[in-house]
Short mmCIF file of all heavy atoms in Angstrom, two decimals:
data_model
loop_
_atom_site.label_atom_id
_atom_site.label_comp_id
_atom_site.label_asym_id
_atom_site.label_seq_id
_atom_site.Cartn_x
_atom_site.Cartn_y
_atom_site.Cartn_z
N THR Z 1 -27.70 14.92 6.03
CA THR Z 1 -27.13 13.73 6.59
C THR Z 1 -26.19 13.17 5.56
O THR Z 1 -26.43 13.21 4.32
CB THR Z 1 -28.20 12.66 6.96
OG1 THR Z 1 -28.82 12.37 5.80
CG2 THR Z 1 -29.16 13.24 8.08
N VAL Z 2 -25.05 12.58 5.98
CA VAL Z 2 -24.12 11.92 5.10
C VAL Z 2 -24.53 10.45 5.00
O VAL Z 2 -24.47 9.73 5.97
CB VAL Z 2 -22.73 12.07 5.56
CG1 VAL Z 2 -21.81 11.33 4.65
CG2 VAL Z 2 -22.31 13.61 5.73
N PRO Z 3 -24.95 10.00 3.85
CA PRO Z 3 -25.31 8.59 3.70
C PRO Z 3 -24.12 7.69 3.39
O PRO Z 3 -23.59 7.46 2.33
CB PRO Z 3 -26.31 8.68 2.38
CG PRO Z 3 -25.78 9.87 1.64
CD PRO Z 3 -25.17 10.79 2.67
N TRP Z 4 -23.64 6.99 4.48
CA TRP Z 4 -22.42 6.19 4.32
C TRP Z 4 -23.05 4.78 3.88
O TRP Z 4 -23.96 4.27 4.37
CB TRP Z 4 -21.75 6.05 5.59
CG TRP Z 4 -21.20 7.33 5.98
CD1 TRP Z 4 -21.55 8.13 7.07
CD2 TRP Z 4 -20.00 7.96 5.48
NE1 TRP Z 4 -20.69 9.27 7.19
CE2 TRP Z 4 -19.81 9.14 6.19
CE3 TRP Z 4 -19.10 7.62 4.39
CZ2 TRP Z 4 -18.76 10.07 5.92
CZ3 TRP Z 4 -18.11 8.51 4.17
CH2 TRP Z 4 -17.89 9.70 4.85
N ASN Z 5 -22.22 4.13 3.02
CA ASN Z 5 -22.53 2.85 2.50
C ASN Z 5 -21.33 2.02 2.69
O ASN Z 5 -20.20 2.32 2.34
CB ASN Z 5 -22.85 2.95 1.00
CG ASN Z 5 -23.37 1.62 0.41
OD1 ASN Z 5 -23.01 0.55 0.95
ND2 ASN Z 5 -24.16 1.67 -0.55
N PRO Z 6 -21.42 0.79 3.42
CA PRO Z 6 -20.23 0.05 3.78
C PRO Z 6 -19.33 -0.56 2.52
O PRO Z 6 -18.32 -0.93 2.70
CB PRO Z 6 -20.76 -1.18 4.60
CG PRO Z 6 -22.23 -1.15 4.41
CD PRO Z 6 -22.60 0.26 3.95
N VAL Z 7 -20.05 -0.59 1.32
CA VAL Z 7 -19.34 -1.00 0.12
C VAL Z 7 -18.57 0.04 -0.54
O VAL Z 7 -17.81 -0.20 -1.45
CB VAL Z 7 -20.38 -1.70 -0.78
CG1 VAL Z 7 -20.96 -2.89 -0.18
CG2 VAL Z 7 -21.34 -0.77 -1.32
N ASN Z 8 -18.69 1.28 -0.09
CA ASN Z 8 -18.03 2.39 -0.81
C ASN Z 8 -16.54 2.60 -0.22
O ASN Z 8 -16.22 3.41 0.48
CB ASN Z 8 -18.71 3.78 -0.53
CG ASN Z 8 -20.13 3.80 -1.24
OD1 ASN Z 8 -20.34 2.93 -2.16
ND2 ASN Z 8 -20.81 4.83 -0.93
N LEU Z 9 -15.76 1.58 -0.71
CA LEU Z 9 -14.33 1.54 -0.25
C LEU Z 9 -13.48 1.37 -1.60
O LEU Z 9 -13.81 0.63 -2.41
CB LEU Z 9 -14.10 0.38 0.67
CG LEU Z 9 -14.91 0.34 1.90
CD1 LEU Z 9 -14.65 -1.05 2.55
CD2 LEU Z 9 -14.43 1.41 2.83
N ILE Z 10 -12.33 2.03 -1.56
CA ILE Z 10 -11.42 1.89 -2.67
C ILE Z 10 -10.04 1.46 -2.07
O ILE Z 10 -9.51 2.31 -1.26
CB ILE Z 10 -11.24 3.08 -3.54
CG1 ILE Z 10 -12.64 3.48 -4.22
CG2 ILE Z 10 -10.16 2.97 -4.65
CD1 ILE Z 10 -12.71 4.86 -4.74
N PRO Z 11 -9.57 0.31 -2.27
CA PRO Z 11 -8.21 -0.11 -1.75
C PRO Z 11 -7.15 0.68 -2.54
O PRO Z 11 -7.15 0.70 -3.74
CB PRO Z 11 -8.15 -1.52 -1.94
CG PRO Z 11 -9.10 -1.88 -2.99
CD PRO Z 11 -10.16 -0.76 -3.02
N VAL Z 12 -6.26 1.33 -1.82
CA VAL Z 12 -5.22 2.16 -2.46
C VAL Z 12 -3.88 1.50 -2.04
O VAL Z 12 -3.26 1.66 -1.07
CB VAL Z 12 -5.19 3.59 -1.98
CG1 VAL Z 12 -4.18 4.37 -2.66
CG2 VAL Z 12 -6.58 4.22 -2.26
N GLY Z 13 -3.29 0.69 -3.00
CA GLY Z 13 -2.03 0.04 -2.73
C GLY Z 13 -1.97 -0.87 -1.52
O GLY Z 13 -1.04 -0.78 -0.78
N GLN Z 14 -3.01 -1.55 -1.40
CA GLN Z 14 -3.05 -2.39 -0.04
C GLN Z 14 -1.95 -3.46 -0.07
O GLN Z 14 -1.49 -3.96 -1.15
CB GLN Z 14 -4.47 -3.22 -0.04
CG GLN Z 14 -5.44 -2.34 0.58
CD GLN Z 14 -6.76 -3.11 0.82
OE1 GLN Z 14 -7.29 -3.73 -0.07
NE2 GLN Z 14 -7.15 -3.13 2.08
N GLY Z 15 -1.40 -3.69 1.12
CA GLY Z 15 -0.36 -4.62 1.31
C GLY Z 15 1.08 -4.12 1.12
O GLY Z 15 2.06 -4.86 1.24
N ASP Z 16 1.21 -2.83 0.84
CA ASP Z 16 2.51 -2.26 0.64
C ASP Z 16 3.14 -1.68 2.01
O ASP Z 16 4.16 -1.15 1.94
CB ASP Z 16 2.50 -1.10 -0.44
CG ASP Z 16 1.64 0.03 0.05
OD1 ASP Z 16 1.08 0.04 1.11
OD2 ASP Z 16 1.47 0.94 -0.84
N GLY Z 17 2.41 -1.84 3.05
CA GLY Z 17 2.90 -1.35 4.38
C GLY Z 17 2.81 0.08 4.69
O GLY Z 17 3.29 0.60 5.67
N GLU Z 18 2.15 0.85 3.73
CA GLU Z 18 1.97 2.20 3.91
C GLU Z 18 0.51 2.53 4.27
O GLU Z 18 -0.44 1.87 3.88
CB GLU Z 18 2.32 2.95 2.60
CG GLU Z 18 3.76 2.84 2.20
CD GLU Z 18 4.02 3.68 0.90
OE1 GLU Z 18 3.54 4.77 0.77
OE2 GLU Z 18 4.64 3.07 -0.05
N ASN Z 19 0.35 3.71 5.02
CA ASN Z 19 -0.92 4.08 5.29
C ASN Z 19 -1.46 5.22 4.30
O ASN Z 19 -0.60 6.01 3.81
CB ASN Z 19 -1.06 4.74 6.68
CG ASN Z 19 -0.95 3.70 7.76
OD1 ASN Z 19 -0.90 2.54 7.51
ND2 ASN Z 19 -0.89 4.11 8.99
N LEU Z 20 -2.73 5.26 4.03
CA LEU Z 20 -3.21 6.35 3.20
C LEU Z 20 -3.35 7.59 4.17
O LEU Z 20 -4.23 7.62 5.16
CB LEU Z 20 -4.61 6.01 2.66
CG LEU Z 20 -5.29 6.95 1.71
CD1 LEU Z 20 -4.33 7.45 0.58
CD2 LEU Z 20 -6.60 6.36 1.23
N VAL Z 21 -2.50 8.59 3.96
CA VAL Z 21 -2.37 9.72 4.98
C VAL Z 21 -3.29 10.87 4.76
O VAL Z 21 -3.90 11.34 5.65
CB VAL Z 21 -0.93 10.24 5.01
CG1 VAL Z 21 -0.75 11.28 5.98
CG2 VAL Z 21 0.07 9.05 5.36
N ASP Z 22 -3.34 11.41 3.51
CA ASP Z 22 -4.08 12.61 3.21
C ASP Z 22 -4.44 12.64 1.73
O ASP Z 22 -4.04 11.79 1.01
CB ASP Z 22 -3.32 13.81 3.61
CG ASP Z 22 -4.06 15.00 4.12
OD1 ASP Z 22 -5.34 15.06 3.82
OD2 ASP Z 22 -3.55 15.89 4.67
N MET Z 23 -5.25 13.67 1.30
CA MET Z 23 -5.67 13.81 -0.02
C MET Z 23 -6.00 15.28 -0.35
O MET Z 23 -6.10 16.05 0.46
CB MET Z 23 -6.97 12.96 -0.27
CG MET Z 23 -8.11 13.48 0.55
SD MET Z 23 -9.43 12.29 0.40
CE MET Z 23 -10.21 12.51 1.98
N LEU Z 24 -5.91 15.48 -1.76
CA LEU Z 24 -6.20 16.86 -2.27
C LEU Z 24 -7.03 16.70 -3.55
O LEU Z 24 -6.95 15.64 -4.18
CB LEU Z 24 -4.95 17.49 -2.72
CG LEU Z 24 -3.95 18.06 -1.71
CD1 LEU Z 24 -2.69 18.55 -2.47
CD2 LEU Z 24 -4.53 19.23 -0.89
N VAL Z 25 -7.74 17.69 -3.90
CA VAL Z 25 -8.42 17.76 -5.16
C VAL Z 25 -7.58 18.60 -6.08
O VAL Z 25 -7.23 19.80 -5.83
CB VAL Z 25 -9.86 18.33 -5.04
CG1 VAL Z 25 -10.38 18.52 -6.50
CG2 VAL Z 25 -10.74 17.62 -4.19
N VAL Z 26 -7.04 18.02 -7.19
CA VAL Z 26 -6.23 18.69 -8.11
C VAL Z 26 -6.80 18.42 -9.54
O VAL Z 26 -6.93 17.20 -9.91
CB VAL Z 26 -4.83 18.23 -8.04
CG1 VAL Z 26 -3.85 18.89 -9.11
CG2 VAL Z 26 -4.18 18.44 -6.70
N ALA Z 27 -7.08 19.45 -10.24
CA ALA Z 27 -7.57 19.27 -11.72
C ALA Z 27 -8.75 18.30 -11.77
O ALA Z 27 -8.79 17.49 -12.67
CB ALA Z 27 -6.49 18.93 -12.66
N ASP Z 28 -9.72 18.41 -10.87
CA ASP Z 28 -10.89 17.65 -10.86
C ASP Z 28 -10.65 16.16 -10.62
O ASP Z 28 -11.31 15.26 -11.04
CB ASP Z 28 -11.76 17.81 -12.19
CG ASP Z 28 -13.20 17.44 -11.98
OD1 ASP Z 28 -13.72 17.75 -10.81
OD2 ASP Z 28 -13.89 16.95 -12.83
#
């Protein structure tokens, strides 16, 4: 089961009008 916790959020450039679209793992 995936244990989700509502506090596990990281804001990424909030307020810049852009959406967080995708992600990759690069060099750990």
Side-chain angles (χ1 to χ4, degrees):
T1 57
V2 178
W4 295 105
N5 186 332
V7 299
N8 290 349
L9 303 170
I10 298 169
V12 181
Q14 278 187 303
D16 63 3
E18 296 181 45
N19 289 357
L20 183 55
V21 177
D22 212 340
M23 63 188 151
L24 289 175
V25 176
V26 178
D28 204 33

